[in-house]
Amino acid sequence: MVTLAEVAQHAGVSASTVSYVLSGKRSISGATRQRVEQSIRELGYHPNAGARALASSRSNIIALMIPLRTDMYVPVMMEIAIAVATTARTHGYDVLLLTGEEGPDAVRRVTGSGLADAMILMDVQLDDERLPLLRGTDQPSVLIGLPADTTGLTCVDLDFKATGALCVEHLAMLGHRDIAVIGEAPAVYERHTGFAERTLDGLRARSQELGMRLLHRPCEGGYDAMAVTLARILDERPSTTGFVVQNESAVEPLLALLRQQGRAVPEDVSVVGICPDQVATQASVRLTSVSIPAQEMGRHAVEQLVAKLDGRGSDEVLLIAPELTVRTSTGPAPSATH
Amino acid sequence: MVTLAEVAQHAGVSASTVSYVLSGKRSISGATRQRVEQSIRELGYHPNAGARALASSRSNIIALMIPLRTDMYVPVMMEIAIAVATTARTHGYDVLLLTGEEGPDAVRRVTGSGLADAMILMDVQLDDERLPLLRGTDQPSVLIGLPADTTGLTCVDLDFKATGALCVEHLAMLGHRDIAVIGEAPAVYERHTGFAERTLDGLRARSQELGMRLLHRPCEGGYDAMAVTLARILDERPSTTGFVVQNESAVEPLLALLRQQGRAVPEDVSVVGICPDQVATQASVRLTSVSIPAQEMGRHAVEQLVAKLDGRGSDEVLLIAPELTVRTSTGPAPSATH
DNA sequence: ATAGGTTGTCGAAGCGCTTCGACAGCTTTT
DNA sequence: AAAAGCTGTCGAAGCGCTTCGACAACCTAT
């Protein structure tokens, strides 16, 4: 293991000079810099992370807490995680992966031990028990998702309320009057996950404003659960012509079931998805959808954090405006006179 | 920030004693231990990770390198990552998330800087460029996946060759003679990903032994790609009655297309999947499948690594025996006289 | 009673780095 | 020509922990 001191000796300078070459915190003459860089290369020197962390009280690590359960949005989580890791590297940070399992203890542990300089939390619940800890520490953090009370917190999320409204508007514009929402699994609502409730708010508020009738049914993913849910919906409200699907693992089952029942998409019923673009374009019908900007959220979260660590940046809530892409799963409502 | 020294003072012992209480590396009297533990609790002490790493040259971190691209097996990757993180925690380790993006450089960086004590590599290619580096260092590592040459390496993977054979055997037993394999995306084969080729080996070898005819076609995920591939297969070999699907994002499209063409599953054609159980049970037909034991692989990888770090353990290749679960997507081949 | 073991604790050295103050050698200002 | 300001470099202190050797204090055996 090559040390700073060895590099210094090899280059004929003092240890501190090498350190300053590395950090750029003091000016170094071109000649010296080159000599040092040459030695670093020749010796294959890598700064020791532990020593660096100890001396500077900076670990250059960002902790990312992902949910343990995989009952929703797995591809989204993965995309966010990858975006976080990639963006972090461009700023010289590495990413520590924490699972939700430890809960608040993980926050304490990471904060207390100086393992990470900052944290990103995913799968935030409306009244998340980790929040008091975040507020009580001076370690920067960013939430991906929105809790009930955001004071003193920095958050990024898709504007799910606007998303709900946008879906409704699109269907309204096409003349649909009775619409149904295929929601997330019941468990997601039970644990009060912000995005699910906010979407519903948006859907309800806008459909009321527009004089539409809306049915909301939670639904586990998969074919069987979807079959039951769809039957119930069509039984209760046979006039339903528009669907908004939030649970991405219900998308394909819904399309298959509709087909099976002889309901053509988009001629007889329209379907709008809230899902990553990949899901929308790979479905059996190219889905009109509001995409979930996973990458953007991950990237933004890291950049906020880096700004804070550099003393710039501040607490703020960024709600990304939803964008609806029209594909081939939505069309004019079948005329009522038909 | 509370330090060891403060705890020591508070408990009326020396710093080293506190350290030994924490590590258990020397025997400490019950009375002293309790006093120290009490002080730790009262002061809310957390050992500083950097200092610990520096002094002990152990970071208690395991690096996990996941693939950057998400063109395959996203849920599997996620499950492995979560299993790794969870298992690592039970052994006192944290997990550092690296993306494949940096390639071999990441290995050098982590090894050189002592950021992590060990690494787990996923998405290993037959002739992976990271392997020489692993062999050239004394840092323990485990591969999830199998390269061409495993000398000096520790690997875990599903026995994909046996998996291929098992799928063929199952279909053979049911009387199928002409079978088709829906493979991974062409890109996966182009970069020589071990598991894809090994599966194919197993499929080919066993079908030849059993006198079956086999067609293999790579296939991107999604409905459109699957439609093209299926049409080609049925055009070339209309007598095909058995399908083996390796690309999990082709499962549902295939089922939908078969249904659409009036081919009943399992009466007219049988389908075997190679995918996580969740995919198999959530499909529109409950899929007979060989499951991918993501959790088991993640857990085993960590345990191997921990064993190595403790001086136990050795290089070995663990191929997990495949298990085929019969569900409702396979049945006897339609009789030839029909 | 004495040599030889244990057991529990302490002090000090050091892990490899960052950073602060000092200062020599310049250049610029007055 | 002296004062003032830059630049580039160095030495030393110290970050918070682990670990090694030392050594009291006690417990066996002989």
Side-chain angles (χ1 to χ4, degrees):
Chain A
M1 198 89 305
V2 187
T3 70
L4 224 213
E6 296 175 274
V7 173
Q9 191 172 10
H10 185 271
V13 297
S14 76
S16 48
T17 300
V18 177
S19 179
Y20 287 125
V21 167
L22 251 27
S23 69
K25 291 190 179 173
R26 284 203 183 173
S27 56
I28 297 287
S29 71
T32 308
R33 156 171 295 115
Q34 294 201 346
R35 208 140 33 82
V36 170
E37 283 169 352
Q38 176 69 19
S39 297
I40 288 176
R41 247 173 287 123
E42 278 180 33
L43 301 178
Y45 168 71
H46 283 272
N48 180 88
R52 202 165 236 202
L54 177 56
S56 66
S57 29
R58 282 294 207 101
S59 64
N60 283 299
I61 288 179
I62 291 175
L64 173 68
M65 229 167 141
I66 62 170
L68 188 62
R69 40 185 126 64
T70 50
D71 61 352
M72 54 170 211
Y73 283 85
V74 174
V76 178
M77 299 293 170
M78 193 77 178
E79 236 186 286
I80 293 178
I82 290 178
V84 165
T86 308
T87 312
R89 281 305 305 145
T90 71
H91 292 278
Y93 287 86
D94 272 295
V95 172
L96 197 75
L97 188 69
L98 304 174
T99 64
E101 194 186 28
E102 283 180 280
D105 286 349
V107 176
R108 257 187 287 272
R109 194 165 59 82
V110 168
T111 305
S113 67
L115 232 187
D117 297 332
M119 345 192 26
I120 296 176
L121 306 196
M122 296 171 66
D123 193 30
V124 180
Q125 281 153 241
L126 281 178
D127 187 19
D128 205 293
E129 53 182 337
R130 296 166 297 186
L131 301 186
L133 285 170
L134 295 182
R135 291 203 179 89
T137 176
D138 51 348
Q139 190 172 59
S141 59
V142 172
L143 312 186
I144 295 184
L146 220 55
D149 177 10
T150 63
T151 51
L153 300 174
T154 303
C155 313
V156 205
D157 207 354
L158 175 61
D159 187 340
F160 278 99
K161 188 162 181 192
T163 300
L166 189 55
C167 293
V168 168
E169 281 160 23
H170 177 67
L171 291 173
M173 199 195 62
L174 291 168
H176 298 270
R177 284 295 154 241
D178 287 347
I179 64 181
V181 179
I182 313 298
E184 292 287 343
V188 174
Y189 293 95
E190 274 153 29
R191 77 173 98 101
H192 296 292
T193 308
F195 81 91
E197 308 205 351
R198 283 184 288 126
T199 309
L200 203 50
D201 279 359
L203 288 162
R204 287 207 175 118
R206 201 81 187 95
S207 58
Q208 194 155 7
E209 284 169 24
L210 296 173
M212 303 165 74
R213 298 204 299 166
L214 181 139
L215 228 47
H216 169 255
R217 295 291 174 268
C219 180
E220 306 273 355
Y223 199 84
D224 296 343
M226 188 64 246
V228 173
T229 306
L230 179 61
R232 253 182 70 201
I233 291 171
L234 292 178
D235 189 39
E236 288 180 69
R237 192 108 96 218
S239 54
T240 300
T241 58
F243 288 89
V244 177
V245 188
Q246 179 151 39
N247 183 340
E248 66 187 18
S249 62
V251 167
E252 196 53 48
L254 175 63
L255 294 174
L257 285 161
L258 291 173
R259 216 177 295 131
Q260 207 171 291
Q261 302 189 351
R263 291 172 203 261
V265 173
E267 288 78 4
D268 299 330
V269 296
S270 288
V271 179
V272 179
I274 301 172
C275 59
D277 277 336
Q278 215 206 359
V279 172
T281 55
Q282 287 211 348
S284 56
V285 178
R286 289 170 45 78
L287 211 64
T288 294
S289 70
V290 174
S291 76
I292 299 189
Q295 294 215 25
E296 189 179 346
M297 297 196 288
R299 202 179 328 116
H300 181 85
V302 171
E303 264 148 19
Q304 276 286 29
L305 232 36
V306 171
K308 285 202 201 183
L309 288 169
D310 291 353
R312 305 174 285 119
S314 59
D315 287 342
E316 59 175 55
V317 174
L318 172 68
L319 289 182
I320 300 173
E323 283 179 29
L324 186 140
T325 305
V326 179
R327 297 200 180 82
T328 59
S329 69
T330 51
S335 74
T337 59
H338 179 70
Chain B
M1 198 91 302
V2 187
T3 70
L4 224 212
E6 295 176 275
V7 173
Q9 190 173 11
H10 186 271
V13 298
S14 76
S16 48
T17 301
V18 177
S19 178
Y20 287 124
V21 167
L22 250 29
S23 69
K25 292 192 179 172
R26 283 201 184 172
S27 56
I28 297 287
S29 71
T32 307
R33 157 171 293 115
Q34 293 199 349
R35 209 141 31 82
V36 170
E37 283 169 351
Q38 176 68 19
S39 298
I40 288 177
R41 245 172 289 121
E42 278 180 33
L43 301 179
Y45 169 71
H46 284 272
N48 180 87
R52 204 165 235 200
L54 177 57
S56 65
S57 22
R58 282 294 209 103
S59 64
N60 284 297
I61 289 180
I62 291 174
L64 173 68
M65 230 168 140
I66 63 169
L68 186 63
R69 39 184 127 64
T70 51
D71 59 352
M72 55 170 209
Y73 284 86
V74 174
V76 177
M77 299 292 169
M78 193 78 179
E79 237 186 286
I80 292 178
I82 290 179
V84 165
T86 309
T87 311
R89 282 304 307 143
T90 72
H91 292 279
Y93 287 86
D94 272 295
V95 172
L96 197 76
L97 188 70
L98 304 175
T99 62
E101 194 187 30
E102 283 180 279
D105 286 349
V107 176
R108 258 187 287 271
R109 194 165 58 84
V110 167
T111 305
S113 67
L115 231 187
D117 297 332
M119 6 192 4
I120 296 176
L121 305 197
M122 296 171 65
D123 192 33
V124 180
Q125 281 153 240
L126 282 179
D127 187 21
D128 205 295
E129 53 183 337
R130 297 167 296 188
L131 302 185
L133 285 171
L134 295 182
R135 291 203 178 88
T137 176
D138 52 348
Q139 190 173 56
S141 59
V142 173
L143 312 187
I144 296 185
L146 220 56
D149 176 9
T150 62
T151 51
L153 299 174
T154 303
C155 313
V156 205
D157 207 355
L158 174 62
D159 187 339
F160 278 97
K161 186 163 182 188
T163 299
L166 190 56
C167 293
V168 168
E169 282 160 21
H170 177 67
L171 290 173
M173 198 194 64
L174 292 168
H176 297 271
R177 285 293 154 244
D178 286 348
I179 63 182
V181 179
I182 312 298
E184 291 287 344
V188 174
Y189 294 95
E190 274 154 27
R191 78 173 97 104
H192 297 292
T193 308
F195 81 90
E197 307 205 350
R198 285 184 287 126
T199 309
L200 203 49
D201 279 359
L203 288 161
R204 287 206 173 119
R206 200 82 187 97
S207 58
Q208 192 154 10
E209 284 169 26
L210 296 172
M212 303 166 75
R213 297 204 300 166
L214 181 137
L215 228 46
H216 168 256
R217 293 291 173 269
C219 181
E220 306 274 354
Y223 198 86
D224 296 343
M226 186 67 246
V228 173
T229 307
L230 179 61
R232 253 182 70 197
I233 291 172
L234 292 177
D235 188 39
E236 289 179 68
R237 192 107 96 215
S239 53
T240 301
T241 58
F243 289 89
V244 177
V245 187
Q246 178 149 40
N247 183 341
E248 67 186 16
S249 62
V251 167
E252 197 52 48
L254 174 63
L255 294 173
L257 285 161
L258 290 172
R259 216 178 295 131
Q260 205 171 294
Q261 303 188 350
R263 293 171 200 260
V265 173
E267 289 78 5
D268 299 328
V269 295
S270 289
V271 179
V272 180
I274 301 173
C275 58
D277 278 335
Q278 216 207 359
V279 172
T281 55
Q282 286 211 349
S284 55
V285 177
R286 289 170 44 79
L287 210 65
T288 294
S289 70
V290 174
S291 75
I292 299 189
Q295 293 216 23
E296 189 179 346
M297 296 195 289
R299 200 179 330 116
H300 181 85
V302 172
E303 264 148 21
Q304 275 288 28
L305 232 35
V306 171
K308 284 201 203 185
L309 289 169
D310 291 353
R312 307 173 285 119
S314 57
D315 287 343
E316 60 175 54
V317 174
L318 171 69
L319 288 183
I320 299 173
E323 283 179 30
L324 186 141
T325 304
V326 178
R327 298 200 180 82
T328 58
S329 68
T330 51
S335 76
T337 60
H338 177 68

